[in-house]
Amino acid sequence: MACTPCTSALCCVAGDDVYMLASTVSSKMIGSMARMEGFKFVETLTGFKWMGNQTRDLQAQGRTVLFAFEEAIGFMFGTSVLDKDGVSAAAAMAELAIYLTTLGFTLTSYLDQLYLRYGFHISNNSYFMCYSKETIKQIFGRLRENCQVSQFVEQVPHAHQQ
């Protein structure tokens, strides 16, 4: 891939051997970025242990993992620490803020540019609240039998979606 001037933070960092990861509960924006920029995106189960293990597996195959994140939980920049790492995340954000300032951007204005390039990505996370022990037992019994959660919201008076 030839390098050309661009506004993408991922310019010239692409290919079959370059990866970014996110858990299934996280924004899908990195997936959109991967499709446009040419790197690979892997979605894992929820939890950094899955992203750390996937990173280790990819490294064993000679692949490079640049970044991993989970919505509201943390970020992994590089592979020095195969877990969420607030210290490196803070340093990376500070470095990005300084760099963007030299280009005339703030973090917020650059995020707006990313939205224009990759699209707006909205997450609507929710959960179910149920206070009845018997109902909880029934729900998880049925879940173990591969039923869908949506069936229970309509059937169980003590459960409601928030």
Side-chain angles (χ1 to χ4, degrees), residues 126-129 139-140 142-144 146-156 159-161:
S126 64
Y127 52 91
F128 296 94
M129 299 294 293
I139 289 171
F140 280 95
R142 288 186 179 174
L143 285 173
R144 287 182 188 99
N146 296 320
C147 289
Q148 295 184 7
V149 174
S150 61
Q151 295 172 309
F152 298 108
V153 175
E154 296 169 10
Q155 296 175 8
V156 181
H160 62 277
Q161 188 172 9

Side-chain angles (χ1 to χ4, degrees), residues 78-147:
T79 56
S80 296
V81 177
L82 298 182
D83 200 350
K84 57 189 164 224
D85 179 6
V87 173
S88 67
M93 287 303 292
E95 183 179 3
L96 177 62
I98 291 167
Y99 174 70
L100 291 176
T101 300
T102 69
L103 301 177
F105 290 102
T106 64
L107 289 170
T108 303
S109 66
Y110 192 69
L111 181 59
D112 290 340
Q113 294 299 310
L114 294 176
Y115 288 148
L116 291 173
R117 182 170 175 87
Y118 303 112
F120 289 87
H121 292 73
I122 299 170
S123 297
N124 185 11
N125 299 330
S126 64
Y127 52 91
F128 296 94
M129 299 294 293
C130 180
Y131 300 101
S132 164
K133 289 182 182 181
E134 184 56 36
T135 301
I136 293 169
K137 184 177 177 182
Q138 289 174 3
I139 289 171
F140 280 95
R142 288 186 179 174
L143 285 173
R144 287 182 188 99
E145 296 170 12
N146 296 320
C147 289

Side-chain angles (χ1 to χ4, degrees), residues 6-26:
C6 64
T7 59
S8 170
L10 301 171
C11 186
C12 304
V13 183
D16 290 337
D17 293 331
V18 177
Y19 287 75
M20 290 195 193
L21 315 172
S23 68
T24 192
V25 298
S26 302

Side-chain angles (χ1 to χ4, degrees), residues 22-34:
S23 68
T24 192
V25 298
S26 302
S27 169
K28 307 306 179 206
M29 189 169 182
I30 291 182
S32 296
M33 295 169 83

